[in-house]
Amino acid sequence: MDSKFKNRVREQFSRTATAYVEAKHFSGGEDLEEAARLLQPTQDDNMLDVACGGGHMALFFAPMVRQVVASDLTMQMLKKAQEHIAEEGLIDNVIFREADAEDLPFPAGSFTLLTCRIAPHHFPDVPRALKEFHRVLRRGGRMVIIDTLLPSDPEIAEFFQTMETMRNPTHVRAYNEDEWQEMIQDAELILQEMLIIPKVHEFQDWVKTAGLNRTQIQNLNKFFMDAPAAVHDYFKIESFAGEVETFTDQKLIIYATRKEKEKK
Amino acid sequence: MSLKPELLEILVCPKCKQEIQANEDASLLSCEQCRLRFPVRDGIPVLLSDEAESY
């Protein structure tokens, strides 16, 4: 990963680490339940949660597996996640590593489960990260990736890309289903299932998690309000007196596995 | 805070993917091949090539 970009990511998430740990829209959710349903975790599983952010995925899965290794590029985020998990008590099987998703510091075949939630849109090189995920997964290992779906309509996709970048300049890009399918296959992972679930965002919480100031929030609000009807329909933008209250985006949940036996 | 030794088995150098060795109090991790030293901050190993120190 380009080190200047990496530093921007770390600066962004160091500044907002506490908000991420506390964010209600990350701590629970249907996507976590779906991930558990797909992965069927057991006490024999050794899990890696890549780009763990506030540690919500790690905390959710910890009671179901033997051990969770939670990695993130940002030390401040790891510290906050570690504190948060310690406060929960009872959980003693989560360990933290500062690592780059595109250069993972784990031996080949270390994990039986791998998760990566709402993070790949910050990766400059998703295919490279996927190759790393394949490498660190044991044969037959299971993986769930969750990320925001890129809308298929170009006009809506352009709005989406702009609004995400206005909110967080380290947003690189999201991908649609076809792109994910191709990247998963190129990484020699076997796509088992893809599903899409809607996610409702409280606009004010969503902007505050990203640490925006008042002017930036006003600009983003205006950008939403001025968007064409097709955008309002897709994102189900709800507003009152010119202020965006909620909008809904689509989360893509990808369930893939590593082959049982490698072809030589 | 130092690292539990049993946890080191699942760490390799992010660059060359070879095993890394901890020093006595597990405050530093070294890759002999790349001649890099990785810091451990608040018990969390920092396994980033550009945060590592050459030796």
Side-chain angles (χ1 to χ4, degrees), chain A residues 78-252:
Chain A
L78 291 165
K79 283 185 187 173
K80 291 286 173 193
Q82 191 173 39
E83 275 171 28
H84 175 65
I85 288 180
E87 281 161 16
E88 290 286 314
L90 303 171
I91 302 291
D92 61 356
N93 61 341
V94 182
I95 57 173
F96 295 89
R97 304 284 181 253
E98 187 173 357
D100 185 337
E102 296 169 4
D103 278 310
L104 291 172
F106 310 107
S110 298
F111 301 98
T112 55
L113 284 186
L114 188 148
T115 55
C116 183
R117 182 187 186 215
I118 327 282
H121 60 271
H122 295 293
F123 300 170
D125 192 345
V126 173
R128 179 169 165 161
L130 288 174
K131 285 190 181 74
E132 279 290 82
F133 295 1
H134 177 272
R135 185 182 65 79
V136 301
L137 266 179
R138 192 170 298 175
R139 289 176 190 182
R142 295 103 73 205
M143 173 184 96
V144 159
I145 293 176
I146 303 171
D147 208 357
T148 310
L149 179 71
L150 183 73
S152 53
D153 181 298
E155 185 189 28
I156 300 170
E158 196 187 326
F159 170 86
F160 168 76
Q161 177 67 20
T162 308
M163 66 98 154
E164 287 286 356
T165 313
M166 283 171 81
R167 174 178 177 255
N168 181 338
T170 68
H171 173 90
V172 177
R173 62 160 294 192
Y175 299 88
N176 64 33
E177 290 158 278
D178 292 345
E179 289 167 324
W180 270 115
Q181 191 165 348
E182 201 180 322
M183 292 191 292
I184 294 283
Q185 280 164 358
D186 287 349
E188 293 185 46
L189 291 156
I190 306 163
L191 181 63
Q192 301 287 348
E193 197 173 330
M194 279 208 275
L195 54 107
I196 295 168
I197 57 171
K199 175 103 181 171
V200 180
H201 297 270
E202 297 287 336
F203 184 79
Q204 287 300 327
D205 291 347
W206 180 73
V207 287
K208 279 174 190 154
T209 315
L212 298 188
N213 66 30
R214 204 179 145 82
T215 310
Q216 290 166 324
I217 294 171
Q218 281 170 350
N219 290 343
L220 198 48
N221 185 76
K222 186 173 188 313
F223 187 65
F224 269 71
M225 293 308 293
D226 293 348
V231 167
H232 276 255
D233 288 347
Y234 179 92
F235 289 106
K236 300 184 178 65
I237 298 171
E238 301 282 344
S239 63
F240 181 76
E243 303 288 330
V244 179
E245 293 190 322
T246 63
F247 73 96
T248 304
D249 63 14
Q250 305 298 318
K251 300 300 178 201
L252 181 64

Side-chain angles (χ1 to χ4, degrees), chain B residues 1-5 8 22-29 40 43:
Chain B
M1 197 156 80
S2 65
L3 283 174
K4 295 179 195 165
L8 292 174
N23 65 353
E24 211 150 273
D25 65 352
S27 60
L28 271 178
L29 305 167
V40 178

